[in-house]
Amino acid sequence: MVRKSALIILLMGLSPILSHAQFVIRGKVFSVDNKEALPFVPVAMKGTPYGAQTDFDGNYVIKCSKLGDSIVAQYVGYKRMSRAVNKQLSEQVINFPLKELGGISLDEVVVKAGENPAHRIIRNCVKNKDKNNKAKLEAYEYEAYNKLEFDLNRIPKEMRTNKMFKPIAFVFENVDSTYSNEKPSLPFFIIENLSQFYYRKDPTRKKEVVIASKVTGLENASVSQVLGDMYQNVNIYDNNILVFNKQLPSPLSENALFYYKFYLQDSAFENNQYIYHITFKPKRVQELSFSGNIWIADTTWGVKRLEMTIPKDANLNFINTANVVQEFSYSDSTWFMSKDRLVLDFSPNKKVPGFYGRKTTSYKKIILNQPKADKFYEFADRIVVDEGALNKSDEFWNENRHDSLTVREKKIFKMIDTIQTLPIYRTWVDVFYLLIAGYAKVNNFEIGPYYNLVSYNKVEGLRLRFGGRTTEKFSKWYELNGYVAYGLLDEKWKYSLGFKSFITKTPHRQIVGMTFRSDNEILGQSTNGFSQDNIFASLFRTNPLTNLTRVSGTEAWYQREWFQGLLTKGILVGRTLMPLGTQRYLEFQDDGSVKPIQSIYTTEFRVNVRFAWKEKYVGEGFSRVSIGTRYPILQLNYAKSLQNAFKAQYDYQKLVLNVNDRIRITPILGYTDYTIEFGKIWGILPYPLMELHGGNETYIYDYMAFNMMHYYEFTSDKWVSAAVFHHFEGLFLNKLPLLRKLKWREVATVKGVWGTVKKENMQVLLFPRTLSSLNRGPYVEASLGIENIFKVFRIDAFWRLSYQFPRSADNFGIKVGFQFML
């Protein structure tokens, strides 16, 4: 009896504890449009005091002793959603796929005798940016953990059931069940990256050491670099934020009130301070800017949480969703980022398959204001991949990753490994590479480029070419390349044979190379123009190509990258130039007469220097790609002839300085690109060795050429040229309702060149009747155009403003261009 009484008393004592957590409801809140998790969403149970707020990953948990009939999730910019609660279950999962409203739905607020209260908060936050911006700290360092996943999404049912996809049908059986309405996606790759990041303010230095990187889907260490924190960084305290090479105003810029509308939504008292929740959206339709939510702490006026996206109507191509979510923690008198998420949805439109990317970053082991010694940072910003970073064990990752992998992510790792072993996967990769790079892969060799295989001109007639290069499968240290071509009209063979090889890859890239070549060239075109054997040039010429030069020679070179951004190259080149077609070389004699000569011989030593401060690259091999720099790019090219060496006939020196940059004044006015070039030649030499200013005799736009100038029209031995391109980014057309949906963008260009030719150089070879100097004044042309037509085309109308032709119609032209722009 005593035992029974004791048991009853014990149960009665425990009953309040047991009842306190009798029911558990958990789930996830996400956007029904892009299936991305929504953080900081209030979730409440109707008729009870119980509720919760979703975490950074959109998850919530409610523990309660009493259940209501329903549970509600409501968030700014999304429709309110209520879900029924099953009172028969002690534990249950209830997810909320919230649907976006057409725009941010806000009740009208009338403020009298005062200002918008959100404006005061924003101004205080802007005023205190220097205190809260990590870039203003003397120094900081942290450990960053990055996780990136890319998927092929929106795969329709008819594609999944297609025979072509049959080998990977198992992929569509492993969709995350959290998103009940999600269409299956095919993962490309998933990457984990652990790095240590270091920053010093004065002088500004950055260094990132990639400690570990796990890449599934791609075998390329450059991916580990690009994934690092130095490449991917959105700083809300900057006045302008560069996203996809587009400048967008920050909601905390000095002129934020000019670009955005702000609304105070709520305030809450947390940790002895008020946190203000403010929503913001663009003031003008289709303007490149953000919309979203920001939580600001009073007293310190620092950002505690941020959630923003690029509006759907923004004049931006191929990006359906671009979300940034950041969470900050207060440490040592500074709000420092603790988590960061970037979500991107790429596709031509929402009805066709596209690419979906998620990048999540977390920060730990934060150390403030303890700078390292100068030698530690090195001269320029640098990303270093530790030896063995790509080969860390599973045990290492289990101990060091900031967040454990979800069941879905573990499946993806195994899934991608399996997919890569399938022949169909390799076929898709090769087809994509052919379209982008122009080469078809055949074992250890690449055939191409495909656009040079067949062409036509008046000198050679139908021209056939076959060539290619070795791949990294053949060797990662050297490359062999070459081609042979044959003209059916001139019945002559042309060829090229070359190689290049790395001497060192780290810490400084050093490459040597040599080329033997004998082929026809157009001397008077820009370096960006189509080669004479390009099929597109053959189809879209404005005039028949009759003036070619047979250039035969040997070139040997050595290139060194001193640090990322400074590149030097030494070249020894010998050439023989022979006129073809209607062109003739007529040499002046002592008595004033002219005599035809067959060839011109020249040997030069050249030095090229290229400086682009903080320029970043993607790729490790010979064909790495620059992803740009925010600073001007300077190029200095010097050439000295070696008279009498290998039959060289002339003694001269040539110096050219080129500067180009992009100026971003304000986001609303677009941006301006400019190029300025100065050049001078000392010595006596014939016109084929002088500066033949680049013309364009095709209907295709060439941004480096004078598009209304002909080939062999102007030459100089001393010159200055300038080109200014302004992209208005839809500044005017966005204001016209009928044209707004087309998302066309305006562009204007002005180009000019002024040069001279000294008398001695005009008396070496007789100038062709089409060629002249610019001694009478500068050549100038201008254009107005529309770009972003069907997202990839542009059309420009050109006017020749000086050295005009007799017929006015010949001073006007239309050029069409193809360009991939976001």
CSV table of all heavy atoms in Angstrom, one decimal, residues 1 73 91 96 217 252 322 328 526 528 620 703-704:
chain,number,residue,atom,x,y,z
A,1,MET,N,0.8,-1.2,0.0
A,1,MET,CA,0.0,0.0,0.0
A,1,MET,C,0.9,1.2,0.0
A,1,MET,O,0.6,2.2,-0.7
A,1,MET,CB,-0.9,0.0,1.2
A,1,MET,CG,-1.9,1.2,1.2
A,1,MET,SD,-3.1,1.0,-0.1
A,1,MET,CE,-4.1,2.5,0.2
A,73,ALA,N,1.2,30.7,-40.3
A,73,ALA,CA,2.4,31.3,-40.7
A,73,ALA,C,2.1,32.6,-41.5
A,73,ALA,O,1.4,32.5,-42.5
A,73,ALA,CB,3.4,30.4,-41.5
A,91,GLU,N,3.4,14.0,-31.9
A,91,GLU,CA,4.4,14.7,-32.7
A,91,GLU,C,4.0,14.7,-34.2
A,91,GLU,O,3.5,13.7,-34.7
A,91,GLU,CB,5.8,13.9,-32.6
A,91,GLU,CG,6.5,14.1,-31.3
A,91,GLU,CD,7.9,13.7,-31.3
A,91,GLU,OE1,8.5,13.7,-32.4
A,91,GLU,OE2,8.5,13.4,-30.3
A,96,PHE,N,5.0,24.8,-44.5
A,96,PHE,CA,4.2,25.9,-45.0
A,96,PHE,C,4.9,26.4,-46.3
A,96,PHE,O,5.9,27.1,-46.3
A,96,PHE,CB,4.3,27.1,-44.0
A,96,PHE,CG,3.4,26.9,-42.8
A,96,PHE,CD1,3.9,26.2,-41.7
A,96,PHE,CD2,2.1,27.3,-42.8
A,96,PHE,CE1,3.1,26.0,-40.6
A,96,PHE,CE2,1.2,27.1,-41.7
A,96,PHE,CZ,1.8,26.4,-40.6
A,217,GLY,N,31.5,16.5,-58.8
A,217,GLY,CA,30.9,17.0,-60.0
A,217,GLY,C,31.9,17.6,-60.9
A,217,GLY,O,31.8,17.7,-62.1
A,252,LEU,N,21.3,50.6,-47.5
A,252,LEU,CA,22.0,51.5,-46.5
A,252,LEU,C,23.0,52.4,-47.1
A,252,LEU,O,24.0,52.8,-46.5
A,252,LEU,CB,22.7,50.6,-45.4
A,252,LEU,CG,21.8,49.7,-44.6
A,252,LEU,CD1,22.6,48.9,-43.6
A,252,LEU,CD2,20.7,50.6,-43.9
A,322,ALA,N,17.2,35.9,-57.1
A,322,ALA,CA,18.5,36.2,-56.5
A,322,ALA,C,18.2,36.7,-55.1
A,322,ALA,O,17.9,37.8,-54.9
A,322,ALA,CB,19.2,37.2,-57.3
A,328,PHE,N,23.7,38.5,-38.4
A,328,PHE,CA,24.8,39.1,-37.7
A,328,PHE,C,24.8,38.8,-36.2
A,328,PHE,O,23.7,38.7,-35.6
A,328,PHE,CB,24.9,40.6,-37.9
A,328,PHE,CG,25.1,40.9,-39.4
A,328,PHE,CD1,24.0,40.9,-40.3
A,328,PHE,CD2,26.3,41.3,-39.9
A,328,PHE,CE1,24.1,41.3,-41.6
A,328,PHE,CE2,26.4,41.7,-41.2
A,328,PHE,CZ,25.3,41.7,-42.1
A,526,SER,N,40.8,45.0,-86.4
A,526,SER,CA,41.1,45.0,-85.0
A,526,SER,C,41.5,43.6,-84.5
A,526,SER,O,41.2,42.6,-85.1
A,526,SER,CB,39.8,45.5,-84.2
A,526,SER,OG,38.9,44.4,-84.1
A,528,ASN,N,40.1,42.1,-82.2
A,528,ASN,CA,38.9,41.4,-81.8
A,528,ASN,C,38.1,40.9,-83.0
A,528,ASN,O,37.1,40.2,-82.9
A,528,ASN,CB,38.0,42.3,-81.0
A,528,ASN,CG,36.8,41.6,-80.4
A,528,ASN,OD1,37.0,40.6,-79.7
A,528,ASN,ND2,35.6,42.0,-80.8
A,620,GLU,N,42.8,26.9,-64.2
A,620,GLU,CA,44.2,26.6,-63.8
A,620,GLU,C,45.1,26.5,-64.9
A,620,GLU,O,46.3,26.7,-64.8
A,620,GLU,CB,44.2,25.3,-63.0
A,620,GLU,CG,43.3,25.3,-61.7
A,620,GLU,CD,43.3,23.9,-61.1
A,620,GLU,OE1,42.7,23.0,-61.8
A,620,GLU,OE2,43.9,23.7,-60.1
A,703,TYR,N,33.4,45.7,-81.0
A,703,TYR,CA,33.6,46.8,-80.1
A,703,TYR,C,35.0,47.4,-80.1
A,703,TYR,O,35.2,48.5,-79.7
A,703,TYR,CB,33.2,46.4,-78.7
A,703,TYR,CG,34.3,45.6,-77.9
A,703,TYR,CD1,35.1,46.2,-77.0
A,703,TYR,CD2,34.4,44.2,-78.2
A,703,TYR,CE1,36.1,45.4,-76.4
A,703,TYR,CE2,35.4,43.5,-77.5
A,703,TYR,CZ,36.2,44.1,-76.6
A,703,TYR,OH,37.2,43.4,-76.0
A,704,MET,N,36.0,46.7,-80.6
A,704,MET,CA,37.3,47.2,-80.6
A,704,MET,C,37.7,47.9,-81.9
A,704,MET,O,38.7,48.5,-82.1
A,704,MET,CB,38.3,46.0,-80.4
A,704,MET,CG,38.3,45.5,-79.0
A,704,MET,SD,39.6,44.3,-78.6
A,704,MET,CE,41.1,45.3,-78.8
